[in-house]
Amino acid sequence: MRRVLILGGTAEARALAARLTGVHVVSSLAGRVSDPRLPAGEVHIGGFGGAEGLAAWLREHRIDRLVDATHPFAERMSASAAHASRLTGVPLLALRRPGWDEEDGDDWRRVPSLPDAAAALPDGARAFLTTGRRSLPVFAARTDVWFLARSVDPPEPPVPPHVRVLLARGPYTVDGERALIREHRLDVLVTKDSGGAMTRAKLTAAREAGLPVVDFIPDSATDTVVRAEPTLRADH
């Protein structure tokens, strides 16, 4: 039986693990979330020790196919997967979800980095920060901005001095996002262009409320080289 390693705790990774039959599937989660949604099949939690460590793991566990279904911003893991594939000769399939498209009525300000996103916030803004708990230290210097920061797990310091942390996990609804904007009198949304439907509702709510969106999309997000193995299919 062929053995497949799927990298990533994304919805796409879970869907693929559930659909693959006739193969032994191992899904790898980074372990950064305390209570992750677990995919079907065997699960490996934690890192591998870089590309060389991943290559050794692939050899040790006799992996026949490697799937990179990581988050669009997991650049280091994607680079390690590509390197490990080259080192071992294990074919690599990379799943890439498309980014969000701007629609009529949107007011997006695209920036290439989180520091640029912090600098782009208007003075005295009330910001809806949806870039993840690990990004909060980048915004800590914006002492003039009030933040509603949403994350799955509590952030570690430093954090902005004026922040309310909302612990929540998607998918989110447009009605729920509208309510947050009204309740907290938010006037700007900060997000990563990670694509997908699970967190898109905030963009619709921001458009309806006339909120500008500071949209972080690094240049490297569009530069990933994908080598697809055509014999690995999700239906057999």
Side-chain angles (χ1 to χ4, degrees):
M1 180 179 291
R2 287 187 298 174
R3 298 174 62 85
V4 177
L5 175 63
I6 302 175
L7 303 174
T10 60
E12 292 86 352
R14 292 193 298 273
L16 179 59
R19 292 184 61 187
L20 283 175
T21 58
V23 296
H24 182 90
V25 177
V26 182
S27 296
S28 173
L29 310 182
R32 293 179 177 177
V33 176
S34 61
D35 184 24
R37 290 194 177 101
L38 297 179
E42 184 179 341
V43 176
H44 169 87
I45 296 180
F48 295 94
E52 289 77 11
L54 175 57
W57 200 95
L58 295 175
R59 295 188 188 101
E60 179 184 353
H61 292 83
R62 305 185 306 280
I63 299 298
D64 300 295
R65 300 291 187 271
L66 176 63
V67 180
D68 175 11
T70 56
H71 189 276
F73 286 78
E75 299 164 352
R76 184 176 300 177
M77 191 66 243
S78 292
S80 291
H83 190 188
S85 174
R86 290 191 295 268
L87 290 173
T88 60
V90 174
L92 170 66
L93 171 67
L95 302 183
R96 291 290 178 263
R97 72 174 73 141
W100 293 315
D101 292 323
E102 196 167 358
E103 299 183 13
D104 291 342
D106 283 331
D107 180 11
W108 289 7
R109 293 91 187 269
R110 293 187 180 274
V111 294
S113 71
L114 285 173
D116 288 315
L121 293 176
D123 294 343
R126 295 180 65 85
F128 190 9
L129 186 59
T130 63
T131 52
R133 65 187 177 92
R134 292 174 179 268
S135 72
L136 262 66
V138 178
F139 296 87
R142 289 304 307 262
T143 59
D144 61 313
V145 176
W146 186 90
F147 292 96
L148 177 66
R150 182 164 64 194
S151 64
V152 176
D153 291 324
E156 297 179 358
V159 299
H162 308 296
V163 61
R164 176 173 179 180
V165 177
L166 174 63
L167 300 182
R169 188 198 302 265
Y172 306 105
T173 66
V174 175
D175 285 343
E177 304 295 57
R178 290 184 187 123
L180 288 177
I181 291 172
R182 290 194 302 268
E183 177 184 353
H184 299 284
R185 296 178 287 110
L186 303 171
D187 50 32
V188 61
L189 168 65
V190 187
T191 187
K192 292 179 178 178
D193 192 350
S194 56
M198 287 185 65
T199 59
R200 188 183 179 91
K202 61 191 172 187
L203 301 176
T204 301
R207 182 189 316 119
E208 293 176 353
L211 269 60
V213 177
V214 178
D215 187 25
F216 165 40
I217 176 169
D219 293 337
S220 58
T222 58
D223 294 339
T224 303
V225 176
V226 176
R227 292 199 293 120
E229 166 52 49
T231 61
L232 177 61
R233 298 174 58 87
D235 54 357
H236 68 282

